[in-house]
Amino acid sequence: MPLADVFTLHGRRSASSDPADERAFFLDVLAEYQWARDAAGLMPGTIDKLVKPVIELCDHYATVPWRIEPKHLDRYFAGVGKRARSTVRAKITNIDGFYAFLEQRYAGEISRLFGAAVESPVDPFNGPRQREAFLFQQGRELLWWYVEEVRGMFRDDPEHPLAPLFPSERMPGAVAALNMPISPALVPATFRRALKAASRLHLPGPVAELYPHLLRHACATHNYERGMTLWEVQRLLGHEWTTTTVRYLATAQADPEQACREAAGRAVRRLVSDAGSLR
């Protein structure tokens, strides 16, 4: 380990710090990122939105991505880059995605060439939060069916503490031959593509195509129509503003006043039931 540290320090000392070289390398990497996204099937307009926030941030500080720190990101989006909350969140997500590419493919080379560590400036304090929603009414039964009847058919150990709930069937041949205990997990894009294909095959109604965020809207609408209050739906979705939740419920048919009365009635019945059980 000490010898490895010496080699690392020696490499960093001999690394180039010419801004022109770093800028040229950044432009080459950016072009490759665009090619990779194009190969993944993204439209040119979408690819443009992915790279623009990175270019804007680096141009503002006249530097390259591996010189950007979280404080720089905070200052930019709290100052000249300040926009609508949803716009800023989308840009930060795109910046974080570019850094994932940079870390995966070029972290070692950037360290050798420029003596810099590649690390995303998006951290838990300025990054997008996790989004979640409860299962539909039949979701619990469906999930248990999958766990009990399907999950064990994969070649890894489903009882392993790190085993993914939805492992991938498509493993590289070399990995499959090793019979490793953990299969690679499905990525969000895999679920999105499968949902899109299934909806085109099986949806007979006016909605011809499903995507993950639409399921989140549907979950909020169904819970509201069943009597959940607006405040409860807001908490369920993790929204900061009630106006955001209201936009989710644009297709809801429930009467808000009636839903409120029904929710209050259920609360009273629970209290009476709890009081009776304590006697």
Side-chain angles (χ1 to χ4, degrees):
M1 291 300 295
L3 184 60
D5 291 339
V6 169
F7 277 114
T8 300
L9 291 174
H10 176 74
R12 290 186 176 180
R13 182 179 299 175
S14 62
S16 170
S17 59
D18 187 348
D21 291 344
E22 290 194 64
R23 179 68 179 178
F25 190 86
F26 166 47
L27 294 177
D28 290 343
V29 169
L30 194 67
E32 184 172 338
Y33 179 62
Q34 291 175 291
W35 296 336
R37 298 287 76 199
D38 180 67
L42 274 65
M43 298 297 292
T46 303
I47 297 175
D48 190 51
K49 291 180 181 179
L50 292 179
V51 299
K52 269 189 174 180
V54 180
I55 297 173
E56 291 173 5
L57 185 64
C58 291
D59 285 350
H60 176 73
Y61 289 107
T63 188
V64 290
W66 45 92
R67 304 295 181 187
I68 298 289
E69 300 178 12
K71 62 183 179 182
H72 298 134
L73 190 77
D74 296 340
R75 290 172 186 168
Y76 178 74
F77 285 111
V80 296
K82 192 176 183 67
R83 300 291 186 274
R85 187 182 301 271
S86 58
T87 302
V88 170
R89 185 178 297 119
K91 287 188 174 184
I92 288 178
T93 300
N94 291 340
I95 290 172
D96 196 37
F98 173 75
Y99 274 88
F101 169 85
L102 203 61
E103 292 171 9
Q104 178 72 25
R105 295 198 181 183
Y106 287 102
E109 190 170 353
I110 290 172
S111 178
R112 291 191 299 271
L113 291 175
F114 310 115
V118 178
E119 186 175 357
S120 174
V122 181
D123 58 25
F125 298 97
N126 58 22
R129 64 186 183 279
Q130 291 291 326
R131 312 294 292 277
E132 60 183 23
F134 288 92
L135 293 171
F136 286 101
Q137 186 174 2
Q138 299 84 6
R140 181 180 178 85
E141 291 80 5
L142 183 62
L143 180 60
W144 275 115
W145 166 80
Y146 168 79
V147 171
E148 295 176 348
E149 303 293 337
V150 180
R151 181 61 183 85
M153 299 175 67
F154 290 89
R155 58 186 301 127
D156 66 337
D157 180 10
E159 296 185 0
H160 192 285
L162 295 179
L165 178 60
F166 301 108
S168 175
E169 294 178 310
R170 296 180 296 278
M171 288 192 295
V175 176
L178 294 174
N179 196 20
M180 298 179 67
I182 302 299
S183 297
L186 295 176
V187 299
T190 307
F191 174 66
R192 186 178 295 107
R193 288 194 297 267
L195 186 64
K196 182 177 181 180
S199 62
R200 289 180 172 178
L201 287 174
H202 303 292
L203 282 184
V207 179
E209 186 173 306
L210 290 179
Y211 47 91
H213 198 70
L214 185 60
L215 298 182
R216 183 173 158 86
H217 280 252
C219 183
T221 302
H222 291 179
N223 279 296
Y224 182 70
E225 289 180 336
R226 292 191 181 105
M228 186 178 286
T229 65
L230 182 62
W231 180 78
E232 289 171 331
V233 176
Q234 180 184 346
R235 288 196 61 190
L236 173 68
L237 299 179
H239 289 158
E240 183 176 356
W241 303 102
T242 308
T243 52
T244 305
T245 311
V246 171
R247 290 198 296 269
Y248 272 56
L249 307 176
T251 60
Q253 302 297 321
D255 179 1
E257 183 177 356
Q258 179 65 23
C260 185
R261 285 199 297 266
E262 291 176 356
R266 289 195 300 272
V268 171
R269 289 193 295 272
R270 285 197 299 269
L271 289 173
V272 171
S273 176
D274 292 341
S277 62
L278 292 175
R279 292 178 182 175

